[in-house]
């Protein structure tokens, strides 16, 4: 009998306690690390990790938010769902901000929560809380797996949902008594997830808009990376000659310094464009809610929105066209359709104008990047840092004003190299993201950019970096204030309150006390040497740069 005539084989059956089964499902979906903080409600998960062949890495942290943020960043970086295991009650609620961030950013992650035992439910046992209703509004799916027998199919569904377009977080909890109980069932066999085929009529309509545009601009966002469409995106830009702006994890899709990357000419590009094609990012406050141009009596640009799934297409913006589906298929389909047009559009004069604007902006930036001001202008830090970044570096932003400067000056050379909170804007993600980045990219530079305000949320997890031998370079812009709030409040009221922090706090001493290293810098000429020492140290190292609180990032929106 030929192979083609053989009946399909039955999946192997596995058995064990529910913690072992949960680990087997996670491993089948590509998970290598369990992020957690020790809690008795989830002990079987740890036993399952230890006894797995090979064992699954257990990465324990000092605050559950860090475990959840590490899982969220793992999903972003590897495009495999990250796994956080949180004990019942406060363990779960401590992870909710990271779950919300994952929902806003489209990050694939699975959170397994402990749950008070079913056989005592309603009696007031320790940390008895019905958790799925709390998490449901900020996740793709939130449910209780009520029995040990539910764990195999329930966790398989959780990982499948988390990694399917549009990606995001899934939460499940398991009663403690059931997590210790045994069950059996078929071994999971995850399939390859791929988005839907795009509507060919929509592709033709958008291609027609592109072919008829004289000043188009392309915006590439996080979902292009998440949907594994980075190669198609770069082909689309280069072979059509389209000027592009990137945001979120779209940064690096068009490498820093590329002649078609016009992020430094963002204002001129978006105000002067007649067609803006937005791919893989929402039309939210970061993109003017989808309104581009129209100033000084000019006609606003037409807008096209491309998303990885139908529910992500904007409902509030006035769209000239839209399409959803697998983003590689969308990009390749659009490129082929434009190339079939009777007359190939020539956008080179428009690109040349934008390149001139980029060059002028770069020249203006040079003065700030080399500023000798005392106190230190935060831009000077990037003047020293950017030349020291390797092409494979992973840069993480956790802060307000200081990290805004990073968005202006740091242009990654490779995709998947930039982590920020995304549209949710949550502080405190940095240490978890740094942990995830060091594990996901063991040979790369990992640089965490910290505001002094943001550091207060998670700096204790330097202890986690030290215990697990995870060297990370941390660069702090320390202006002794909540800079993102101080300036706007002064603008609105003429004064500010509760916007100041203790002056010149020696956060590097905190890092040293936890087993790392670091130094305080007050002279701009000392920044370069401090960064060199940090990169050479091989340990978690904080360069604590005291900056000028008056040197605020110039912004046009407060996110409203």
């Amino acid at each position: 009998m030929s192979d083609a005539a053989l009946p399909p084989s039955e999946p192997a059956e596995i058995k064990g306690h529910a913690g072992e089964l949960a680990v087997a499902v996670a491993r089948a979906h590509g998970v290598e690390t369990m992020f957690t903080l020790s809690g008795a409600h989830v002990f079987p998960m740890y036993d399952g990790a230890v006894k797995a062949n090979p064992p699954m890495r257990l990465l324990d942290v000092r605050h559950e938010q860090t475990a959840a943020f590490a899982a969220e960043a793992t999903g972003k970086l590897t495009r495999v769902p990250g796994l956080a295991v949180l004990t019942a009650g406060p363990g779960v609620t401590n992870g909710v901000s990271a779950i919300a961030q994952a929902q806003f950013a489209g990050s694939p992650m699975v959170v397994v929560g402990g749950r008070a035992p079913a056989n005592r439910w309603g009696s007031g046992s320790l940390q008895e809380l019905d958790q799925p209703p709390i998490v449901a509004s900020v996740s793709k799916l939130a449910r209780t797996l009520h029995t040990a027998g539910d764990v195999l199919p329930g966790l398989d569904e959780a990982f499948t949902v988390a990694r399917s377009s549009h990606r995001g977080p899934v939460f499940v909890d398991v009663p403690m008594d059931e997590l210790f109980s045994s069950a059996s069932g078929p071994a999971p066999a995850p399939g390859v997830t791929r988005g839907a085929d795009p509507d060919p009529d929509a592709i033709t309509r958008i291609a027609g808009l592109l072919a008829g545009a004289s000043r188009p601009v392309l915006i590439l966002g996080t979902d292009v990376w998440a949907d594994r469409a980075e190669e198609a995106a770069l082909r689309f830009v280069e072979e059509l000659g389209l000027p592009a702006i990137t945001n979120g994890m779209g940064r690096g899709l068009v490498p820093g310094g590329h002649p078609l990357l016009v992020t430094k000419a963002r204002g001129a590009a978006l105000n002067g464009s007649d067609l803006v094609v937005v791919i893989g990012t929402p039309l939210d406050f970061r993109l003017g809610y989808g309104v581009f141009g129209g100033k000084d009596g000019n006609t606003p640009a037409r807008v096209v929105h491309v998303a990885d799934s139908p529910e992500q297409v904007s409902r509030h913006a006035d769209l000239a066209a839209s399409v959803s589906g697998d983003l590689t298929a969308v990009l390749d389909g659009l490129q082929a359709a434009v190339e079939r047009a009777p007359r190939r559009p020539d956008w080179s004069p428009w690109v040349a104008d934008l390149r001139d604007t980029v060059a002028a902006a770069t020249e203006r930036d040079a003065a700030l990047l080399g500023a000798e001001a005392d106190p230190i202008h935060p831009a000077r830090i990037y003047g020293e840092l950017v030349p020291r970044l390797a092409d494979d570096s992973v840069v993480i932003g956790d802060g307000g004003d200081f990290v805004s400067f990073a968005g202006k000056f740091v242009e990654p050379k490779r995709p998947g190299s930039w982590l920020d909170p995304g549209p949710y804007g949550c502080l405190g993600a940095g240490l978890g993201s740094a942990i995830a980045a060091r594990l996901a990219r063991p040979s790369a530079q990992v640089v965490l950019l910290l505001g002094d305000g943001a550091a207060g949320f998670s700096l204790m997890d330097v202890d986690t970096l030290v215990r697990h031998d995870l060297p990370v370079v941390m660069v702090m812009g320390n202006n002794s204030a909540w800079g993102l709030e101080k300036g706007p409040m002064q603008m609105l009221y003429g004064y500010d309150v509760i916007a100041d922090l203790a002056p010149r706090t020696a956060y590097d001493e905190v890092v040293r006390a936890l087993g790392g290293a670091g130094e305080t810098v007050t002279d701009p000429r000392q920044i370069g040497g401090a960064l060199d020492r940090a990169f050479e140290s091989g340990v978690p190292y904080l360069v604590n740069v005291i900056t000028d609180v008056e040197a605020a990032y110039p912004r046009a929106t407060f996110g409203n």
Side-chain angles (χ1 to χ4, degrees), residues 473-559:
V473 172
M474 295 166 280
V475 183
M476 176 181 288
N478 183 350
N479 63 3
S480 307
W482 297 103
L484 203 59
E485 285 68 39
K486 187 179 181 71
M489 191 171 186
Q490 288 175 343
M491 185 188 72
L492 290 169
Y493 296 110
Y495 69 90
D496 66 86
V497 293
I498 61 169
D500 291 308
L501 299 170
R504 299 193 171 206
T505 299
Y507 295 99
D508 50 300
E509 292 185 7
V510 176
V511 171
R512 287 198 294 273
L514 294 171
E519 58 189 285
T520 292
V521 176
T522 59
D523 184 331
R525 295 166 296 184
Q526 298 171 347
I527 298 171
L531 291 173
D532 290 338
R533 289 186 286 276
F535 281 118
E536 293 165 1
S537 69
V539 300
Y541 197 109
L542 176 64
V543 180
N544 177 24
V545 185
I546 308 301
T547 61
D548 183 2
V549 71
E550 299 298 328
Y553 184 80
R555 59 189 68 254
T557 176
F558 300 145

Side-chain angles (χ1 to χ4, degrees), residues 94-147:
N94 281 344
V96 170
S97 288
I99 296 171
Q101 176 165 296
Q103 179 78 339
F104 275 74
S107 309
M109 68 182 292
V110 172
V111 178
V112 177
R115 186 177 174 93
N119 63 10
R120 285 288 189 185
W121 194 260
S123 302
S125 58
L126 176 66
Q127 294 165 347
E128 181 181 301
L129 178 67
D130 190 17
Q131 295 153 162
I134 295 172
V135 183
S137 68
V138 290
S139 59
K140 293 185 69 176
L141 175 68
R143 59 178 293 219
T144 297
L145 306 179
H146 289 283
T147 70

Side-chain angles (χ1 to χ4, degrees), residues 127-398:
Q127 294 165 347
E128 181 181 301
L129 178 67
D130 190 17
Q131 295 153 162
I134 295 172
V135 183
S137 68
V138 290
S139 59
K140 293 185 69 176
L141 175 68
R143 59 178 293 219
T144 297
L145 306 179
H146 289 283
T147 70
D150 293 334
V151 168
L152 270 175
L155 258 295
D156 189 37
E157 178 192 30
F159 278 98
T160 300
V161 169
R163 69 190 305 165
S164 301
S165 297
H166 179 63
R167 295 157 189 82
V170 172
F171 174 83
V172 298
D173 62 7
V174 185
M176 184 177 183
D177 49 343
E178 292 295 328
L179 198 57
F180 277 89
S181 297
S182 295
S184 62
V192 177
T193 57
R194 180 185 179 277
D197 291 328
D199 177 3
D201 291 337
I203 293 290
T204 299
R205 188 160 53 251
I206 296 169
L209 290 169
L210 267 170
S214 58
R215 300 182 309 281
V217 173
L218 184 66
I219 299 177
L220 298 169
T222 293
D223 291 335
V224 178
W225 163 257
D227 216 35
R228 301 179 185 272
E230 63 271 19
E231 292 181 6
L234 188 56
R235 276 198 307 271
F236 187 66
V237 168
E238 291 184 329
E239 295 183 15
L240 292 184
L242 272 166
I245 295 168
T246 58
N247 80 352
M249 288 202 75
R251 295 166 66 92
L253 291 168
V254 182
H258 193 289
L260 290 167
L261 181 65
V262 297
T263 304
K264 289 183 181 296
R266 175 188 172 114
L270 297 181
N271 289 327
S273 175
D274 60 355
L275 179 70
V276 179
V277 180
V278 180
I279 303 180
T281 191
L283 298 176
D284 56 22
F285 69 94
R286 298 170 300 170
L287 293 179
Y289 305 102
V291 178
F292 305 103
K295 295 181 179 179
D296 302 321
N298 294 325
T299 303
R302 290 175 296 178
V303 180
V304 170
H305 198 197
V306 178
D308 62 359
S309 54
E311 67 274 11
Q312 293 302 304
V313 175
S314 175
R315 300 290 186 266
H316 65 266
D318 182 12
L319 299 178
S322 66
V323 68
S324 64
D326 176 78
L327 293 182
T328 293
V330 170
L331 287 159
D332 286 346
L334 282 175
Q335 181 178 334
V338 172
E339 290 173 342
R340 288 195 302 267
R343 184 180 64 84
R344 180 74 177 266
D346 179 13
W347 299 312
S348 56
W350 168 236
V351 171
D353 287 346
L354 294 177
R355 289 302 306 160
D356 289 343
T357 306
V358 168
T362 302
E363 187 174 346
R364 287 194 305 272
D365 289 346
L368 283 178
L369 293 169
E372 296 285 349
D374 182 10
I376 296 170
H377 194 291
R380 174 61 186 269
I381 300 172
Y382 295 105
E384 299 291 344
L385 175 63
V386 169
R388 290 171 166 81
L389 293 177
D391 285 358
D392 68 348
S393 62
V394 180
V395 178
I396 302 156
D398 188 10

Side-chain angles (χ1 to χ4, degrees), residues 60-86:
D60 64 309
V61 300
R62 297 299 302 270
H63 192 305
E64 285 93 357
Q65 70 167 11
T66 301
F69 279 126
E72 193 255 352
T74 296
K76 284 176 173 171
L77 288 166
T78 67
R79 300 177 288 197
V80 171
L83 173 63
V85 175
L86 310 178

